[in-house]
Amino acid sequence: MKVLVTDPIADAGLDVLRDAGHDVETGYELEGEELLEAVSDASGLIVRSGTEVTEEVLEAAEDLVIVGRAGIGVDNIDIDAATDNGVIVANAPEGNVRAAAEHTVAMTFATARSIPQAHVRLTDGEWAKSDYLGAELDGKTLGVVGLGRVGQEVAKKLDSLGMDIVAFDPYISEERAERIGAELVELEDCLSAADFLTIHTPLTPETEGMIGEEELDLLEDGYVVNVGRGGIIDEDALAAKAADGTIAGAALDVFAEEPLSTDSPLLEHDEIIVTPHLGASTEAAQENVATSTAEQVVAAIVGEPVANALNAPSIDESAFPRLEPYIEIAETAGKVAAQLLSGRTEDIEVTYEGDIADEDVEFVTASALKGVFEPLEWQVNAVNAPQIAEDRGVDVTESKTRQAEDFQSLISVTVSNDDDSVTVDGTLFEGVDPRIVRVDGYRVDAIPHGKMVVTRNTDEPGVIGLIGSVMGKHGVNIAGMFNAREAHGGEALTVYNVDSQVPEAAKDELNDDDRIVGIDYITLDGQN
């Protein structure tokens, strides 16, 4: 498979891709039509912040499975368009956490003690010792905006230096904040309390420009540090507040537009320290994000869950061996149920019983949805299946119970509408052998493979013989048969594995017999 890399990454990441047998193509200057042409036959795309992955790029890449961002920020990737096209977007949030946190701490010390300014004056021959009276961190309050991975690491490091920590993050629990020694407060309270403010929130429409003139006024006599994302601080307002002395200083590593323009007002004030986006610029960080991203691309291409997928369910690496066999059986149960249902699918319920109920099954549920929608010939995978359900107005319910009467673990997929409902139950025999064990309550223990026929008929002598004879007459070979009945003389259900498609003439002939209640042809291999 071809993997296109359009921004430079460490050689260790390229080696991971090549070792997995992929063809790696690098194009660090690609844009416009050249980019569209290069990505058109790629299965994987790896970028950093330089490449804009737009809807046009995603629609040009018919074979694309995953976009890997070798870093944290993904504001250069159209995630909604990726989801619509069934493309996974994954980043590498852990690889540069330590590097970004350490740079934040370094910038905090630098602005508190005016280290760069003093250095420049000394190298210019000026001994300006009396001009700099720094601030100590011990006993001061650190305000953290965005208590994600980097924010938490910064909080831990500066807490150990004697700082009190307050934080604003509407997406984290008070319990989690308390565990790292931070008090969770509203943004205004965070700014008012902080002697030093550090920012680690993603750049979104909600966070763009969130630290403006009014917010900086609340930070009176304090310091601002941003090694997160540019655009969150109003740079004109920051320059003005540094000029009039409202804030004591600032240290920025990221900017709304990069590279930073030489006429930026940020460069006019001695109180503002700037570095050229060095937060992740350590050898270890670059190697970590490159290998992490490459490993996720390799996993996605072979159909395995992706650890840091942003628009698709993911599975913890340690849990994957336990859940992997159930992914296929959930998808299969969904396929069978959808093809047995009369009319459109309006509701889907996925139920987990037994041991599997203890697992995080989000990816398994997405696979069941993929199975339901796939026979309808929509372009669907586990990435966009939940979105397809939402777009189509299909209600999805997931439930769990630790109790399982007959099986160690059981997955049930029910599809329904106002007129009909079908439930298909699947499990694994001995942990590895997939089986469809019930269809609408009939115990069948069928092997889900290739092409299948499901018949409902009255339970009386000669019916199974009739079905076999008609199949044979029309050239359909029966490879296996699994039969169940509700009661003696009642209705029976039989699942047949067949080697070829069942002609309409064969179905018509069977349906002409009063003993046949219904007959459905099912394909699990995507072929008629």
Side-chain angles (χ1 to χ4, degrees), residues 36 45 60 89 120 134 147 151 177 202 221 244 285 308 337 343 349 352 395 398 403-404 476 480 497 511:
L36 298 181
L45 172 63
V89 177
V120 169
L147 206 56
D221 294 329
D244 67 18
N308 296 308
E349 181 177 4
Y352 299 90
D395 291 328
E398 178 186 291
Q403 303 301 316
V476 179
N497 291 115
N511 281 321

Side-chain angles (χ1 to χ4, degrees), residues 87-294:
V87 177
I88 298 169
V89 177
N91 63 354
E94 300 289 353
N96 57 14
V97 166
R98 184 177 294 108
E102 289 183 358
H103 195 62
T104 300
V105 172
M107 294 285 269
T108 303
F109 276 112
T111 190
R113 302 301 298 270
S114 303
I115 293 171
Q117 299 94 323
H119 167 79
V120 169
R121 292 180 67 177
L122 185 57
T123 56
D124 285 343
E126 185 178 359
W127 187 265
K129 179 179 180 180
S130 60
D131 289 348
Y132 297 107
L133 185 66
E136 295 184 10
L137 303 188
D138 183 42
K140 301 297 194 303
T141 298
L142 175 71
V144 183
V145 176
L147 206 56
R149 292 177 175 89
V150 177
Q152 290 182 28
E153 189 70 18
V154 169
K156 292 175 185 176
K157 292 181 182 300
L158 292 179
D159 177 67
S160 69
L161 294 177
M163 298 194 79
D164 297 321
I165 313 296
V166 295
F168 168 72
D169 190 324
Y171 303 105
I172 195 170
S173 68
E174 291 185 4
E175 292 75 16
R176 177 58 182 163
E178 289 174 358
R179 282 201 295 271
I180 60 174
E183 179 188 358
L184 209 57
V185 297
E186 295 300 319
L187 179 60
E188 292 78 6
D189 296 329
C190 180
L191 293 163
S192 298
D195 299 299
F196 291 81
L197 183 75
T198 181
I199 300 167
H200 304 284
T201 185
L203 178 63
T204 68
E206 290 74 25
T207 63
E208 185 173 8
M210 71 182 296
I211 306 298
E213 183 177 349
E214 293 181 3
E215 288 75 21
L216 292 169
D217 283 340
L218 295 174
L219 192 68
E220 186 176 2
D221 294 329
Y223 298 82
V224 183
V225 179
N226 189 11
V227 184
R229 302 298 294 177
I232 294 170
I233 298 176
D234 182 330
E235 294 173 0
D236 290 336
L238 180 66
K241 295 302 177 182
D244 67 18
T246 299
I247 62 171
L252 307 180
D253 184 52
V254 290
F255 309 93
E257 298 290 338
E258 297 183 1
L260 183 65
S261 172
T262 55
D263 62 0
S264 169
L266 298 174
L267 302 177
E268 300 174 1
H269 305 288
D270 190 51
E271 295 82 5
I272 300 177
I273 299 167
V274 292
T275 54
H277 206 145
L278 301 179
S281 294
T282 68
E283 184 175 346
Q286 293 304 301
E287 184 167 315
N288 288 341
V289 298
T291 55
S292 172
T293 304

Side-chain angles (χ1 to χ4, degrees), residues 322 324-326 329 407 409 426-435:
R322 299 191 301 273
E324 182 179 15
Y326 290 100
I329 194 63
F407 306 98
S409 290
T427 192
L428 299 171
F429 284 2
E430 297 182 356
V432 294
D433 194 9
R435 287 286 195 277

Side-chain angles (χ1 to χ4, degrees), residues 1 14-23 294 298-299 302:
M1 298 292 187
L14 302 179
D15 291 341
V16 169
L17 298 169
R18 294 188 179 111
D19 291 345
H22 298 301
D23 296 325
V298 170
V302 298

Side-chain angles (χ1 to χ4, degrees), residues 405-407 410 425 427 429 435-446 482-486 493-495:
E405 292 182 6
D406 301 319
F407 306 98
L410 186 75
D425 299 348
T427 192
F429 284 2
R435 287 286 195 277
I436 296 297
V437 292
R438 283 195 293 258
V439 177
D440 276 346
Y442 290 94
R443 178 66 184 266
V444 291
D445 293 348
F482 310 91
N483 179 255
R485 64 183 183 182
E486 57 184 7
L493 181 144
T494 306
V495 178

Side-chain angles (χ1 to χ4, degrees), residues 447-459:
I447 299 173
H449 175 72
K451 301 169 179 61
M452 303 168 68
V453 174
V454 177
T455 64
R456 295 174 186 262
N457 53 270
T458 58
D459 181 36

Side-chain angles (χ1 to χ4, degrees), residues 358-371:
D358 292 332
E359 303 285 353
D360 181 352
V361 293
E362 185 180 10
F363 191 91
V364 183
T365 297
S367 298
L369 299 182
K370 174 180 183 288

